[in-house]
Amino acid sequence: MNQSAGLFPVATRIIRKQRVDAVYTDTRHSFPDGVSMMKTNLWAYPIFLISLATVMLPRQVLARCPLYSQAVNDSNSVIMLGGTARGHIRQFVVGEFGKDVDLQKRMLGQFDRCGALTVADIFYDKREGNVILSMAQHLEQVNGEGWLAEYQMSVRVQRDGREVEVNNKQGMINYLVGIHGNIISASDTFTNMGNKGFTETTYRHDKQFHLINSVARGSDVQSNGEYYYRWNQRGQMLSMTSTQSKEAYTYDKQGRELQLNSVSHRAGGLLTTINECQLWDETGNCTLSYSSEIEVSDAGTLKRHAGAAYRFDYWDKTPTPAN
């Protein structure tokens, strides 16, 4: 995958694109209506990671990769997966479970020899209080011209002994790339409780093809917003900031991701999360992380803890950059 920065952030962010924040007055709990894509946390209850089937290229085949493929892949990975990882990754799997909250998340993906994402699947289920949130997304590369993602999100509440669906959003996101392969725009067409809608997002990059800005506009006000991204000289993400939230990363001297701190302002409340990596593989990618989350609202204070396990498989040969 030829990525440089940390893990798929210490937790994987589900569908960063779909800011679907759904806050319901009949429950003291609020949930992101698009639970931002990758920041997963998983607690070390027994974790069973599912290996992906792999189609190996012949050993004598070496990919001829674009000159700026690393920065392009890093930026594309942030947009579609919510973070980056180190080394020439062939496939990965992430599992997350809650310690004191009923939460399960799985993420699986594959990359070609030049580090471009070819396919990924994300599943997310959470039950808290009387609210049940389920999400799923399938993402795949389309003829080398971009990516197509299909997603579905459902929010249900327990009322009078039965589940009642209060929100259902499903749609398709078309990611378009420029001449260098970096994503320059995304079109999200969806139905939300039967009502059709859209969100158009544009992306700007610096001269090194690192993502620096994204602007989303459309019929779903929860999805609209502007984000700014900062990177260090190693090509690692330092922060992602909007008017409502901020995420900041720290690394050790070896360039391994140590911690991700995030603060998010929500309607009537504040959510603070700390994700810390505990173990790394030989490449420097995190294989185990713990998270702690505090949500403060008019209804009171909620504390949540979770943990995530990660497995990375790598290509056996280093791609040769094209001249």
Side-chain angles (χ1 to χ4, degrees):
M1 179 169 154
N2 212 17
Q3 306 268 10
S4 59
L7 43 144
F8 285 108
V10 174
T12 67
R13 191 169 288 145
I14 286 218
I15 314 179
R16 179 194 294 278
K17 256 260 336 76
Q18 281 101 262
R19 290 280 199 238
V20 214
D21 287 330
V23 179
Y24 302 101
T25 57
D26 59 343
T27 174
R28 66 187 298 263
H29 305 296
S30 61
F31 294 91
D33 153 78
V35 179
S36 84
M37 187 167 165
M38 263 180 143
K39 259 53 188 169
T40 27
N41 326 315
L42 134 82
W43 220 81
Y45 289 146
I47 297 168
F48 302 96
L49 299 182
I50 303 172
S51 297
L52 291 168
T54 305
V55 179
M56 291 292 294
L57 295 177
R59 284 180 172 272
Q60 66 269 25
V61 176
L62 281 178
R64 302 293 295 180
C65 305
L67 182 61
Y68 296 103
S69 61
Q70 179 169 328
V72 168
N73 291 334
D74 280 346
S75 295
N76 290 348
S77 185
V78 167
I79 292 170
M80 295 186 291
L81 300 178
T84 65
R86 301 169 61 152
H88 302 292
I89 296 174
R90 185 181 66 200
Q91 60 186 12
F92 71 91
V93 59
V94 180
E96 173 186 11
F97 295 91
K99 176 186 177 184
D100 46 15
V101 61
D102 187 356
L103 165 68
Q104 295 185 36
K105 188 183 299 182
R106 289 187 299 130
M107 188 169 189
L108 311 95
Q110 294 179 331
F111 299 86
D112 65 20
R113 282 182 174 264
C114 288
L117 179 69
T118 57
V119 64
D121 288 284
I122 304 165
F123 307 94
Y124 181 94
D125 293 284
K126 181 178 181 180
R127 179 188 293 265
E128 190 170 31
N130 68 327
V131 180
I132 304 165
L133 171 63
S134 300
M135 299 179 66
Q137 177 179 265
H138 176 74
L139 177 68
E140 63 180 66
Q141 194 174 34
V142 181
N143 298 325
E145 299 178 355
W147 289 265
L148 191 64
E150 296 181 73
Y151 67 90
Q152 182 171 9
M153 183 274 295
S154 173
V155 179
R156 305 179 302 280
V157 298
Q158 290 279 354
R159 291 177 180 167
D160 300 324
R162 63 188 184 93
E163 292 183 8
V164 178
E165 188 170 57
V166 294
N167 198 358
N168 184 300
K169 183 177 182 180
Q170 50 189 314
M172 186 173 295
I173 307 172
N174 187 14
Y175 296 98
L176 300 179
V177 300
I179 59 174
H180 297 287
N182 54 310
I183 296 174
I184 57 175
S185 67
S187 298
D188 180 5
T189 56
F190 58 84
T191 58
N192 194 339
M193 297 300 286
N195 299 314
K196 293 184 178 181
F198 72 94
T199 300
E200 298 288 338
T201 306
T202 56
Y203 302 95
R204 289 196 304 113
H205 303 75
D206 61 19
K207 294 180 179 179
Q208 288 74 43
F209 296 99
H210 286 122
L211 177 68
I212 58 174
N213 174 253
S214 65
V215 179
R217 295 287 183 267
S219 58
D220 184 355
V221 295
Q222 300 292 344
S223 298
N224 296 338
E226 185 170 8
Y227 289 83
Y228 295 91
Y229 308 82
R230 292 178 56 243
W231 306 73
N232 63 19
Q233 293 182 346
R234 288 184 172 182
Q236 297 170 308
M237 178 173 286
L238 292 177
S239 65
M240 182 188 75
T241 308
S242 73
T243 57
Q244 300 295 323
S245 64
K246 181 174 182 179
E247 297 176 356
Y249 301 80
T250 57
Y251 304 89
D252 63 15
K253 294 180 180 180
Q254 289 75 45
R256 302 179 306 181
E257 186 173 338
L258 292 176
Q259 190 175 91
L260 167 65
N261 297 328
S262 62
V263 177
S264 178
H265 296 270
R266 301 181 177 185
L270 178 69
L271 180 67
T272 304
T273 305
I274 299 176
N275 291 283
E276 296 180 296
C277 188
Q278 307 295 316
L279 297 173
W280 298 264
D281 64 15
E282 293 181 354
T283 305
N285 285 317
C286 187
T287 57
L288 179 65
S289 68
Y290 295 138
S291 74
S292 58
E293 182 177 278
I294 300 176
E295 182 176 358
V296 180
S297 67
D298 296 338
T301 300
L302 287 175
K303 295 183 179 180
R304 308 179 184 96
H305 300 84
Y310 312 77
R311 174 178 170 177
F312 299 90
D313 294 327
Y314 302 89
W315 290 104
D316 57 341
K317 292 186 178 181
T318 302
T320 303
N323 294 327

